[in-house]
Amino acid sequence: MSVPTAIELRATLVTVIAGASETPTARWDALVGLVEILSLAYHPRSNWRVEVSGTQDDRRWIEAAIELVRAEHPYVTGKGSPGL
């Protein structure tokens, strides 16, 4: 994956968390929000963010995955992402 779409990036986050936590992807799919694409003019280091929900422990899992994925994919593209 070169520059992922927001949908691809979200799917990667869910897969990473489910694999690391050994819990079903459906659980994390409900807790990881949509990936919002941000303007590079205001966010040059990374142009995306994710709304997260769940317990404090859930949020720790999600935030850790975000850090890992962001290191590899700091940018997302809106091309090919319906509904964004």
Side-chain angles (χ1 to χ4, degrees), residues 6-73:
I7 292 169
E8 291 169 335
L9 188 90
R10 184 178 181 281
T12 299
L13 284 169
V14 170
T15 301
V16 166
I17 301 164
S21 65
E22 298 181 351
T23 55
T25 56
R27 178 175 190 280
W28 297 107
D29 197 41
L31 298 174
V32 176
L34 294 177
V35 173
E36 180 182 357
I37 301 173
L38 307 172
S39 168
L40 279 174
Y42 299 107
H43 305 278
R45 291 188 179 145
S46 180
N47 75 329
W48 59 272
R49 70 174 166 209
V50 180
E51 288 187 34
V52 298
S53 60
T55 66
Q56 187 175 8
D57 195 45
D58 293 337
R59 289 173 179 265
R60 273 191 232 121
W61 277 100
I62 296 167
E63 292 298 333
I66 288 172
E67 284 183 41
L68 287 171
V69 172
R70 190 181 308 264
E72 186 69 25
H73 300 288

